[in-house]
Amino acid sequence: MRRWIWLLVLALGVAGAQAPKVDGRIAPGEYAKTYRHEKSGITLYWSIVGDTLYLALEGKSKGWIGIGFLPEKGDKKKGADQYLFYMDAGKLVALDMYQVKRTGAPVVDEKEGGKNSILAAAATYENDTWVVEFSRKLKTGEATDVEIVPGKKILVMLAYAGKMDPKEEHKKTERWYLEDFIF
């Protein structure tokens, strides 16, 4: 009897670890954790399933929206692993980028010897409101990507711009740092 109970508990635990559906919509209870950043108005949703991070961003912006990761606060944005999302002719463009210099625009990972580590991405953009979902491995093995270690503090950057143009720089008031963030 105990063996059957243990198997039932194990089966329910595995069922509870189901990966979110990356479809550009956030269903109630789809993600394990949520964090709302009041100053930016952006809400983060995430689940870690196996070796994969499923992440969603929800917020208002007239242009692109993005998130970045740094293992620790250092030389401004240098070394940041950044993800930028924008719409082009009604279709989502999802960029995996790397911050080469301490300031200025990041470059796509491919220009620095990496590759696009986004496994899946989808978004809805209606009435200046974004819902972006994407997934990536916690550890990609690339120098252009930051390893996400569950339970370990990381610096998360949030940003958005006034235009859909990915070359549109955001003002400092449209970029925020979340220090000591833990996935």
Short mmCIF file of all heavy atoms in Angstrom, two decimals, residues 32 67 96 103 105 136 165 179:
data_model
loop_
_atom_site.label_atom_id
_atom_site.label_comp_id
_atom_site.label_asym_id
_atom_site.label_seq_id
_atom_site.Cartn_x
_atom_site.Cartn_y
_atom_site.Cartn_z
N ALA A 32 4.75 28.86 -12.17
CA ALA A 32 4.95 28.55 -10.75
C ALA A 32 5.11 29.82 -9.90
O ALA A 32 4.64 29.87 -8.78
CB ALA A 32 6.18 27.65 -10.58
N ILE A 67 14.31 42.01 -21.48
CA ILE A 67 14.79 41.55 -20.18
C ILE A 67 16.25 41.14 -20.36
O ILE A 67 16.65 40.70 -21.44
CB ILE A 67 13.93 40.39 -19.63
CG1 ILE A 67 14.33 40.05 -18.20
CG2 ILE A 67 13.99 39.17 -20.55
CD1 ILE A 67 13.33 39.14 -17.48
N ASP A 96 18.13 37.24 -29.08
CA ASP A 96 19.02 36.89 -27.98
C ASP A 96 20.27 37.72 -28.20
O ASP A 96 20.94 37.59 -29.23
CB ASP A 96 19.33 35.39 -28.05
CG ASP A 96 20.27 34.92 -26.93
OD1 ASP A 96 20.67 35.74 -26.08
OD2 ASP A 96 20.60 33.72 -26.93
N THR A 103 28.13 50.35 -21.93
CA THR A 103 26.94 51.14 -22.28
C THR A 103 26.66 50.93 -23.77
O THR A 103 27.44 50.31 -24.48
CB THR A 103 27.15 52.64 -22.01
OG1 THR A 103 28.26 53.10 -22.78
CG2 THR A 103 27.39 52.91 -20.53
N ALA A 105 24.16 49.89 -27.17
CA ALA A 105 23.28 48.81 -27.60
C ALA A 105 23.99 47.45 -27.55
O ALA A 105 25.17 47.36 -27.87
CB ALA A 105 22.78 49.09 -29.01
N ARG A 136 14.32 29.07 -22.52
CA ARG A 136 15.74 28.87 -22.80
C ARG A 136 16.30 27.92 -21.76
O ARG A 136 15.71 27.75 -20.69
CB ARG A 136 16.51 30.18 -22.78
CG ARG A 136 16.43 30.91 -21.45
CD ARG A 136 17.60 31.81 -21.17
NE ARG A 136 18.73 31.05 -20.69
CZ ARG A 136 19.81 31.57 -20.13
NH1 ARG A 136 19.92 32.86 -19.99
NH2 ARG A 136 20.79 30.82 -19.72
N ASP A 165 11.15 49.85 -33.22
CA ASP A 165 12.47 49.74 -33.84
C ASP A 165 13.48 49.19 -32.81
O ASP A 165 13.71 49.83 -31.78
CB ASP A 165 12.90 51.13 -34.32
CG ASP A 165 14.24 51.14 -35.01
OD1 ASP A 165 14.93 50.09 -35.05
OD2 ASP A 165 14.61 52.21 -35.51
N GLU A 179 17.95 44.00 -8.36
CA GLU A 179 19.11 43.37 -7.72
C GLU A 179 18.65 42.23 -6.82
O GLU A 179 17.55 42.24 -6.29
CB GLU A 179 19.88 44.41 -6.90
CG GLU A 179 20.50 45.49 -7.78
CD GLU A 179 21.36 46.46 -7.01
OE1 GLU A 179 22.03 46.04 -6.05
OE2 GLU A 179 21.34 47.65 -7.37
#
